[in-house]
Amino acid sequence: MRLSIIQSTKYWLSEHPSIVNFRWSPTESWGSTWSFLFSAITIYLISAVILHVVVSLILRTNRRLPLGPIPAIHCLAVAMASVVIFVGILLSTAAEIRDTRWFWRRTKTTTAFQWLLCFPLGTRPSGRVFFWSYIFYLSRFLHLLRTFLTVLEHRKLTFFTLFNQSILLFMSFLWLEFSQSFQVLAILLTTLLYSVVYGYRFWIAIGLPRACFPFVVRCQVVLLGCNLVCHFGVLSLHILKGGCNGIGAWGFNSMLNAVILLLFLKFYLKMYSNKRKGDSLSELKGSSRHLHSGLEKRDSKGS
């Protein structure tokens, strides 16, 4: 029974004809044109800003719009989609390495890890791993909904949120359009993080206790650190092997990742600074109360 479940999972997530024969093209793949990409990003930005303005004008200060179970359902949907993509691309990667290892002899690729970081020149966006890259690209539209839920529930909209969501959608499109190296590892790391983070957000949304530290921020720091190390690996292999496929798109993505990293560090430092100020203020208030209590006791004894 257990063996049949494993075999069925492998078939539906890595051996199904639709996955094996996938090909990224404007005529066969929905959302695969540049015009669609820029239109989607523009509509997202304009809609989010308009919704934020409307909600700010209608609702009173500090008032929230209750959304019921919708945020929890969204978090659960993103977490489950991330788990499926993670398992699917993991199985597909193993199958792709098994089927194409013979071709590596014609290139300087000697190990599976090198292939994960650096696709051989001439790699086309077709086959198993690019199918899951396409599913990951489509899943980015599900992530965009979180912006609107945050605006409705908390009346909160930041430049970092708009920039980050737009750039991640744009980068996932570039992975497919230029058969960019490193995308397999990037998807594995990202979907693993999303599975944990959105599972945690679902945990909170249904009323269970929070972690005693900024869990989501710590996870994002780990992901950014792993991505940074892998980017150095891609650059090294590109120099040593004589070229990695889609290196131009990789370079552009690296610059965008650097901007996201700087914005995130700025946000993290601001949050840490505010926390320190809050702790200091709490300690000051506690000391004042303690001093006031001591003075009252002394006065009562004196009387």
Side-chain angles (χ1 to χ4, degrees), residues 5 18 35 56 62 70 110 116-117 121 126 132 142-143 148 159 161 186 191 205-206 208 212 223 238 256 268:
I5 293 176
S18 299
S35 59
S56 299
N62 297 327
I70 296 177
T110 57
L116 289 172
L117 286 174
L121 294 175
S126 61
W132 288 108
L142 181 61
H143 285 262
F148 300 99
F159 170 77
T161 298
T191 51
I206 61 176
L208 295 174
C212 58
L223 176 64
H238 176 69
L256 294 177
Y268 182 77

Side-chain angles (χ1 to χ4, degrees), residues 30 32 34-35 43 48 50 79 108 111 130 150 188 199 205 211-212 229 236 265 297 299:
W30 180 82
S32 59
W34 287 98
S35 59
I43 292 172
I50 291 176
K108 294 182 180 180
T111 65
F130 289 100
T150 302
L188 284 171
C212 58
V229 172
S236 301
L265 289 176
K297 289 180 180 179
D299 292 341

